[in-house]
Amino acid sequence: MGARSSSGPFLVLAAATLWGTTGTAQALGPDGITPATVALVRMAGGATLLAHAVTRHRTVPLRSLWGWPLFFALATMAGSQPLFFGGVARTGVAVGTIVTIGSGPILAGLLAWAIRRERPGPRWPVATTLAVGGAVLLVSGGDAAGIDPVGLLFAGGAGLAWAVYLVAAKSLFEEHPPVFVAGVVFAGAAVILSPVLIAGDVAWLGSGHGIVTALWLGIVATALSYVAFATGLGTTPVAAAATLTLAEPLTAAVLGMTVLGEPARLTTIGGMALIAAGIALLALEGRADPAPLPG
């Protein structure tokens, strides 16, 4: 296991902050933009990391990546978005998002403990409880209507997919050039999703507004963010990284209120404060590497 770097958590936090801009970018985008085409643009943007790694000669033979971590990284990167959107369609945005973002950090911490023998830091339980509770407040607004068992299963599956991705990707990032690995995963996921995504209307990409939106979504909010994420995850415990990614809904909420004019409910303000407190706890975590479990 690589040594923990003090910059690792801040890189993960920066990546999650950029992810939080995607909803606002989509809302401000041209007519005709859809979640499916946004996913296509983001996968294509992420795949540019592969070309970047090749031009910088930061590659390894593809056969050296082969194994269960790559298999699970590809499967979960491709599967998490359909599971999430399926859950949201059946349960509503609030409940689907709550289940996904609430289960992901907890499952990631447990999987890292069980598979990687990576014990979470002493502040992780408190920080995760604060951040998950804040995320629930942030997206719920007190509305728990529209619960559907199948939708809950999809949303929980999306949370599990993200947790598995974190564990699998960390194993790859520790052993191989992170940007190259991220590019391979994005390119592979794009191929897996292409039969579904190719049917989307991409006419909006032909306008100047559409090109600017696509560049932000594909290059800044995906390619650049995953450079930061891949680099930071390599030296950040999985459990802490999963909790830090809750900066994504925090950023989305701030932009929603300040840019899109969404109402600032008490639940929103309280949720933002709890997430910020949880992130601050992890940012102040001791620099020591998480101790491996015996056995």
Side-chain angles (χ1 to χ4, degrees), residues 4 72 78 130 177 221 225 249:
R4 181 174 177 178
F72 281 114
L130 287 172
S225 70

Side-chain angles (χ1 to χ4, degrees), residues 20 35 73 79 83 152 175-176 178 182 206 216 234 237 243 259 279 290:
L83 285 169
L152 290 178
E175 302 295 331
H176 307 288
W216 180 268
T243 301
V259 177
I279 289 172

Side-chain angles (χ1 to χ4, degrees), residues 71-84 99-100 103-105 107-108 111 153-169 226:
F71 171 81
F72 281 114
L74 285 170
T76 52
M77 175 64 80
S80 59
Q81 292 196 33
L83 285 169
F84 175 70
V99 173
T100 299
S103 61
L107 292 171
L111 283 174
L153 188 62
F154 283 170
L160 177 60
W162 178 240
V164 173
Y165 172 79
L166 285 171
V167 175
Y226 267 87

